[in-house]
């Protein structure tokens, strides 16, 4: 385990402790994943409101972020960035909406596409700290994990990391510490 991963684990432990301390004595019917269920219901409701034409456009947009597709050497990345932007504008789509599998946002997956896609999504309002619903990870986390596993990043991914950090992206450790502080402040407000 790397030093960064150890710091994140400690921060996560502190945040979870603070959250556990904030639970009422009688938890009753507490559902730990209720937030994910609510988000999934909200997502389904919004998708149901789309016309057939809008669904086709959204499906095309989502295909650009399919992992197997992004690994293909034959895709025309520049053309896809242009087309993705047009679809987002046409649908007036909130780029932070977790439409992809596992509650992923487009930015979370764009690190596997191209720097141009990351840049375009940020310009369109993507939240650099938006976490996926499954693992509470954001785009920067994917880059940090790849850096830990490979020991380095490609020049393009280094540029993505620099861009995300310059736009305020926080490391997992920083986000967990923020969560711990938030819960701690909430607990102090109850007394």
């Amino acid at each position: 385990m790397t030093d960064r991963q150890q710091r994140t684990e400690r921060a996560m432990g502190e945040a979870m402790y603070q959250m556990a301390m904030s639970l009422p004595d009688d938890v009753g019917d507490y559902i730990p994943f209720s937030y994910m269920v609510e988000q999934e219901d909200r997502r389904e409701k919004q998708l149901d409101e789309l016309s057939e034409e809008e669904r086709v456009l959204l499906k095309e947009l989502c295909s650009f972020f399919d992992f197997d597709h992004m690994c293909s050497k034959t895709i025309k990345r520049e053309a896809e960035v242009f087309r993705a932007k047009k679809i987002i504008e046409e649908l007036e789509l909130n780029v932070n909406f977790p439409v992809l599998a596992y509650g992923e946002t487009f930015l979370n997956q764009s690190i596997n596409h191209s720097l141009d896609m990351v840049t375009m999504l940020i310009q369109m309002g993507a939240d650099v700290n938006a976490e996926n619903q499954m693992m509470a990870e954001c785009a920067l986390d994917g880059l940090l994990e790849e850096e830990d596993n490979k020991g380095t990043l490609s020049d393009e991914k280094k540029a993505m990391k620099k861009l995300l950090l310059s736009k305020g992206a926080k490391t997992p450790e920083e986000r967990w510490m923020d969560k711990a502080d938030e819960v701690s402040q909430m607990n102090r407000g109850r007394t």
Side-chain angles (χ1 to χ4, degrees), residues 14 31 59 117 159 173:
E14 174 63 22
I31 302 171
K59 186 175 181 179
M117 186 68 83
E173 177 185 8

Side-chain angles (χ1 to χ4, degrees), residues 6-172:
Q6 288 175 350
R7 288 192 317 271
T8 299
E9 291 285 325
R10 283 193 299 273
M12 185 170 64
E14 174 63 22
M16 293 178 110
Y17 173 78
Q18 292 293 337
M19 288 178 209
M21 297 306 293
S22 71
L23 290 174
D25 292 335
D26 179 22
V27 176
D29 292 332
Y30 176 72
I31 302 171
F33 297 106
S34 62
Y35 175 75
M36 283 179 59
V37 172
E38 289 171 15
Q39 292 288 20
E40 184 64 24
D41 289 346
R42 190 178 112 224
R43 176 179 165 233
E44 289 301 319
K45 183 178 179 215
Q46 289 179 327
L47 291 175
D48 286 344
E49 295 171 359
L50 295 176
S51 70
E52 188 59 36
E53 183 181 325
E54 291 171 326
R55 286 175 186 269
V56 169
L57 288 173
L58 185 60
K59 186 175 181 179
E60 179 185 357
L61 179 62
C62 290
S63 74
F64 299 152
F65 299 92
D66 176 79
F67 186 75
D68 290 334
H69 174 78
M70 289 186 290
C71 292
S72 171
K73 303 231 184 269
T74 61
I75 64 172
K76 295 181 167 79
R77 296 185 191 283
E78 190 175 311
E80 285 188 357
V81 173
F82 179 78
R83 180 68 180 141
K85 183 175 185 205
K86 291 294 178 201
I87 293 171
I88 291 166
E89 290 171 342
E90 186 172 334
L91 293 176
E92 298 178 4
L93 187 68
N94 174 355
V95 293
N96 295 307
F97 184 60
V99 72
L100 300 172
Y102 308 110
E104 295 278 358
T105 65
F106 295 116
L107 185 61
N108 289 11
Q109 287 297 320
S110 68
I111 63 167
N112 296 310
H113 191 281
S114 65
L115 176 60
D116 290 339
M117 186 68 83
V118 171
T119 302
M120 181 273 293
L121 289 167
I122 290 172
Q123 289 170 344
M124 305 262 332
D127 177 357
V128 295
N129 289 303
E131 298 175 336
N132 67 28
Q133 293 172 349
M134 184 66 100
M135 301 293 292
E137 294 174 339
C138 67
L140 180 62
D141 299 356
L143 294 170
L144 294 174
E145 185 176 334
E146 184 174 329
E147 189 174 41
D148 284 345
N149 291 336
K150 293 182 178 177
T152 189
L153 292 171
S154 68
D155 289 342
E156 183 175 39
K157 294 220 174 169
K158 285 177 186 174
M160 288 179 196
K161 179 180 170 183
K162 183 178 179 179
L163 174 63
L164 290 167
L165 289 169
S166 74
K167 298 297 182 180
K170 294 182 179 182
T171 66

